Amino acid sequence: MQNIVADIDQEWKPLSNDHKKLESYFMNILDSFLKGDDVHPSYLISGVFGEGKTTFLYYILRKSVEKGMLPIFVIACDVFEKINATNYGEVKERIDEIVENLKNSFNKEDFSQYKQYIKSMPSESQEKIVNFYKKNYDKISHFNRVILIVDELE
């Protein structure tokens, strides 16, 4: 299989009417979440290798920042190795702790702790995403509006 790596700088463009509906749907979700509406807390985006899932997640990340929210992009295996839990309640509690710790460190412009949650990414991709956060930090005005984006749930 070809080594395909999504790039945070790569633009996601809707290629079909279904893509346009998906884009509109998620923009409405982000707007509702920003207003404080009670929206569904999790969504699964699935598809075959190289289909553009990560590129779309990066798109959601960028749009969230544009709206002033704090999206936290992580790699599933890097998060799950930090969770030592035996039931759903414990898993949720640990993820909430991780998100709260990351939110606090992001609020202080400290991205050192964050890197442990993206360590499975190629190092160039890690640097690009950290640089994205540093470059766009001033756009984040709603640190209480956190979106956890988990990639590579394989």
Side-chain angles (χ1 to χ4, degrees), residues 12-46:
W12 182 83
K13 294 179 183 178
L15 301 175
S16 67
N17 284 336
D18 286 341
H19 282 164
K20 289 176 185 173
K21 289 177 188 174
L22 180 70
E23 177 183 35
S24 176
Y25 178 78
F26 273 97
M27 292 309 104
N28 288 336
I29 293 290
L30 292 177
D31 289 339
S32 294
F33 184 63
L34 183 59
K35 288 189 294 188
D37 294 348
D38 185 22
V39 296
H40 194 283
S42 56
Y43 296 88
L44 176 65
I45 299 171
S46 64

Side-chain angles (χ1 to χ4, degrees), residues 22-144:
L22 180 70
E23 177 183 35
S24 176
Y25 178 78
F26 273 97
M27 292 309 104
N28 288 336
I29 293 290
L30 292 177
D31 289 339
S32 294
F33 184 63
L34 183 59
K35 288 189 294 188
D37 294 348
D38 185 22
V39 296
H40 194 283
S42 56
Y43 296 88
L44 176 65
I45 299 171
S46 64
V48 297
F49 179 81
E51 196 170 61
K53 299 174 299 296
T54 300
T55 303
F56 184 68
L57 293 177
Y58 283 152
Y59 175 77
I60 293 171
L61 179 139
R62 289 191 306 271
K63 289 298 182 182
S64 300
V65 168
E66 286 176 16
K67 294 176 181 290
M69 293 180 274
L70 174 60
I72 300 176
F73 183 92
V74 297
I75 302 298
C77 65
D78 297 333
V79 170
F80 294 145
E81 78 176 17
K82 303 285 183 197
I83 297 173
N84 183 15
T86 58
N87 61 56
Y88 170 76
E90 289 177 0
V91 170
K92 183 177 179 339
E93 186 177 303
R94 277 299 293 136
I95 288 175
D96 288 347
E97 288 171 11
I98 289 168
V99 167
E100 191 63 27
N101 289 338
L102 287 173
K103 180 174 87 169
N104 291 333
S105 64
F106 273 45
N107 201 10
K108 298 173 190 166
E109 295 185 67
D110 176 11
F111 302 101
S112 57
Q113 180 186 5
Y114 172 64
K115 290 181 180 181
Q116 67 183 312
Y117 298 105
I118 57 169
K119 68 182 181 184
S120 294
M121 296 174 79
S123 57
E124 181 180 333
S125 297
Q126 291 179 36
E127 290 308 312
K128 280 188 168 190
I129 198 163
V130 169
N131 288 336
F132 169 83
Y133 281 118
K134 289 178 180 178
K135 178 181 170 188
N136 292 284
Y137 180 81
D138 291 340
K139 294 177 183 175
I140 301 170
S141 55
H142 303 285
F143 280 92
N144 61 332

